Amino acid sequence: MSFVTTPHINAEKDAFGRTVLMPGDPLRSKFIAENFLENAVLVNNIRGIQGYTGTFKGIKVSVMASGMGMPTIGIYSYELFRFFDVQNIMRIGSTGAMQENVKVRDIVFGMGACTNSNYASQYGLGGTFAPIASYTLLKEAVAQAEQIGAQYHVGNILSSDVFYNDNSAANEGWQKMGVLCVEMEAAALYMNAARCKKNALAILTVSDSLVTGEETTAQERQNSFTQMMEIALNTAVNLEKNI
């Protein structure tokens, strides 16, 4: 077996499944491996970014953390797509609701990812690139959400480079345009998928509301957002069955 070493991943060429679930938090990666995957093996731990591969319902699936922000998910998703033959990456993370009808613990599927990032400038485009999810993943994930009776929303999300914004009114324009929620990674993931001709989707659980001020604890975000984990894993299984 050949070994591949990139600056951020050190693993065998076939260490990862065709589909990788990508939470931001390495501890969430560990939680998924221990509670959902069978025979999970740690395949990468460079910089503490834990990557595991095991099986779910007999299908090889991997889960690896991305860290926080577009630069980090940009690095890890690119290396997985380019050097480890990964075909599908599903970001599974937390998000802050920006619309009144989007409640804490609801699921949000990012059909599109608006952004205030300059990430797309590297492509030298003569306009504004619109990062979107892969329809194949989106369609299957929504079907899985329907099957388990999840409360979900599909639409535009915001991938922001800024967590603590000095402009207290920064979100108002996005809210006015109907953007459902804000997070920090999906746009870069979608752009990498487009450039590499691969598939990507953000499946998010609402951890707090910018409208009502309601929020969950860090422990809840790490361990209790199991609906999106089940949706992503079942989506991975059905993708393999339909190849």
Side-chain angles (χ1 to χ4, degrees):
M1 293 185 181
S2 60
F3 222 77
V4 177
T5 300
T6 70
H8 309 92
I9 302 173
N10 187 21
E12 292 178 355
K13 176 75 172 177
D14 63 351
F16 297 94
R18 284 170 49 86
T19 298
V20 176
L21 277 58
M22 189 160 272
D25 185 354
L27 292 178
R28 189 179 294 150
S29 177
K30 185 172 186 285
F31 176 86
I32 295 167
E34 292 177 346
N35 290 275
F36 289 94
L37 299 185
E38 295 180 354
N39 303 313
V41 176
L42 182 68
V43 296
N44 181 68
N45 198 24
I46 302 296
R47 297 172 181 251
I49 296 295
Q50 298 174 18
Y52 297 87
T53 296
T55 59
F56 183 76
K57 298 182 179 178
I59 299 297
K60 183 180 179 180
V61 180
S62 298
V63 54
M64 191 172 89
S66 71
M68 294 174 63
M70 280 176 272
T72 56
I73 198 168
I75 289 169
Y76 290 110
S77 63
Y78 185 88
E79 292 184 1
L80 288 172
F81 282 145
R82 282 294 192 199
F83 305 114
F84 292 93
D85 297 330
V86 170
Q87 299 299 309
N88 314 296
I89 295 178
M90 284 181 277
R91 162 161 159 68
I92 49 172
S94 56
T95 188
M98 295 204 295
Q99 301 296 329
E100 190 172 3
N101 67 314
V102 180
K103 307 297 184 184
V104 170
R105 296 184 181 82
D106 284 0
I107 302 293
V108 177
F109 297 101
M111 184 164 58
C114 307
T115 186
N116 54 23
S117 169
N118 199 37
Y119 194 88
S121 65
Q122 65 182 299
Y123 305 119
L125 303 171
T128 302
F129 183 77
I132 60 171
S134 301
Y135 180 71
T136 301
L137 294 184
L138 178 61
K139 180 182 178 182
E140 183 59 46
V142 169
Q144 294 300 327
E146 292 274 3
Q147 283 193 20
I148 66 173
Q151 182 66 39
Y152 71 88
H153 311 266
V154 181
N156 236 340
I157 64 176
L158 170 64
S159 297
S160 178
D161 268 344
V162 183
F163 189 87
Y164 296 109
N165 201 313
D166 198 52
N167 177 6
S168 61
N171 291 319
E172 292 178 3
W174 302 107
Q175 290 171 309
K176 179 175 65 179
M177 295 302 291
V179 173
L180 298 175
C181 60
V182 58
E183 52 88 69
M184 301 187 74
E185 287 84 22
L189 172 62
Y190 288 5
M191 285 187 251
N192 276 1
R195 181 66 182 89
C196 296
K197 296 179 173 55
K198 302 294 180 74
N199 302 305
L201 174 66
I203 306 173
L204 308 167
T205 300
V206 177
S207 59
D208 58 286
S209 172
L210 281 64
V211 179
T212 67
E214 184 183 359
E215 60 183 15
T216 56
T217 66
Q219 190 70 21
E220 286 179 295
R221 291 193 292 274
Q222 179 183 312
N223 296 334
S224 70
F225 290 175
T226 55
Q227 269 194 333
M228 71 176 171
M229 300 171 189
E230 293 172 10
I231 290 167
L233 287 164
N234 284 319
T235 298
V237 168
N238 277 11
L239 286 173
E240 290 300 314
K241 288 180 177 178
N242 293 328
I243 291 175

